[in-house]
Amino acid sequence: MTTALFLALAVSTAATASATAADLFNNAQGRFAAGDTRGALADIGGAVASEPGDTNALALQAIYADAVGDLITREAALIRLGALDSAKRAGVDNMLNAIRIASFTPPNPLPAIQGPSTAIIVLGYGLLPDGTMRPELVNRLWATVVQSWVSPLSPIIVTGGNPRNGITEAAAMQGWLQSHGVPASRIHAEHRAGSTVGNVLNSVPLARSLGAGGAIIVTSANHIRRATVDFTVAGLPVVGAMSAVTSAGQLIAELKPLTKSQQLGMYRDAIKVFGIPSRY
């Protein structure tokens, strides 16, 4: 074999190995998004074996292992991640701890007493085609009014894009709150978010710009756990979470701790908020 041919084969083999690691990473993310947690863990394990210094892959290996209950793989991945990037290891620890706490914390329909350094953040909900609000969102706003009474100095952030008939969720919420006695000066609107992850990534910097070091989250009972995890992962401590509850039955239905399969939405969102790419 000539030297030139040997070098060409070596370059080709290295490129193939690199592409395979990226493919495994992408496959893992796709499988996890589809709910195939064990398949995702197997694929990300292959990516880590091919690229042992890839901290994103190691972080996902720890997260996926936690999702399937594989504690040995989780701890091994965390140890390796910590040796390479202690800050990312701390972030993954924070994420997994937030998911564990949220999974065992039932929704709370009661307001929290806080001061001006805590923002009340109200998450949007899809509007009707004519731009009017659905009952689900109105329920969140009634809860917000109560929370605003209890914490009269806290700024209020309404977050939600997805315009209908030229009206964003945030604009609809802003107008409703003002019409129900909340001073306009207290309300700060975030009009771009199209998802819970967007709510978090867009409203956290806004809250900090208002001098808030913590948040009271207002959303529906079946959404509060996921939202709380996302804000925690984004680095804004959640010091209160008020669930909009329309009936005792709705609250009772959310009291049980979440199973691993029910936690998947929290894992998926938290990965995005944490900043791990969905694809290489």
Side-chain angles (χ1 to χ4, degrees):
M1 181 182 295
T2 66
T3 302
L5 180 58
F6 177 83
L7 289 174
L9 287 174
V11 170
S12 175
T13 301
T16 300
S18 178
T20 298
D23 288 343
L24 286 168
F25 182 97
N26 296 340
N27 289 342
Q29 285 283 58
R31 286 189 173 191
F32 197 77
D36 180 9
T37 53
R38 294 195 177 277
L41 182 59
D43 277 344
I44 205 65
V48 168
S50 296
E51 297 288 346
D54 185 341
T55 58
N56 281 330
L58 279 167
L60 285 182
Q61 187 177 40
I63 295 165
Y64 293 169
D66 189 77
V68 302
D70 184 345
L71 304 187
I72 294 175
T73 299
R74 182 192 72 193
E75 291 307 307
L78 286 172
I79 290 170
R80 292 175 65 183
L81 179 61
L84 293 169
D85 188 334
S86 59
K88 184 168 282 189
R89 156 75 196 260
V92 173
D93 283 334
N94 179 55
M95 177 196 304
L96 299 183
N97 188 51
I99 291 173
R100 279 191 290 272
I101 292 172
S103 297
F104 286 92
T105 304
N108 175 26
L110 301 176
I113 301 174
Q114 294 292 333
S117 63
T118 300
I120 301 168
I121 303 179
V122 195
L123 306 191
Y125 191 86
L127 302 175
L128 292 168
D130 64 357
T132 57
M133 293 186 296
R134 300 174 192 271
E136 187 82 9
L137 185 51
V138 175
N139 291 335
R140 296 182 187 185
L141 293 175
W142 278 119
T144 302
V145 170
V146 174
Q147 180 59 68
S148 74
W149 294 338
V150 174
S151 300
L153 299 180
S154 293
I156 299 170
I157 296 173
V158 289
T159 169
N162 297 317
R164 295 291 183 268
N165 196 28
I167 303 169
T168 64
E169 296 163 24
M173 290 189 284
Q174 189 173 27
W176 189 99
L177 288 171
Q178 289 181 33
S179 70
H180 286 76
V182 180
S185 60
R186 289 189 67 186
I187 307 169
H188 306 268
E190 185 289 298
H191 298 280
R192 295 175 296 151
S195 65
T196 304
V197 171
N199 292 145
V200 173
L201 294 179
N202 293 334
S203 60
V204 166
L206 177 55
R208 288 179 176 147
S209 74
L210 297 171
I216 299 168
I217 309 304
V218 181
T219 188
S220 303
N222 62 358
H223 187 226
I224 196 73
R225 286 165 158 147
R226 181 156 58 99
T228 299
V229 168
D230 288 352
F231 277 96
T232 301
V233 172
L236 188 66
V238 177
V239 298
M242 186 178 181
S243 304
V245 177
T246 56
S247 68
Q250 183 189 37
L251 183 60
I252 291 170
E254 300 294 331
L255 289 180
K256 292 181 180 178
L258 299 183
T259 65
K260 281 296 182 184
S261 62
Q262 291 171 324
Q263 293 171 23
L264 282 182
M266 293 195 290
Y267 283 103
R268 294 185 191 110
D269 269 14
I271 289 168
K272 294 175 184 176
V273 172
F274 193 61
I276 296 176
S278 60
R279 292 185 61 81
Y280 273 166

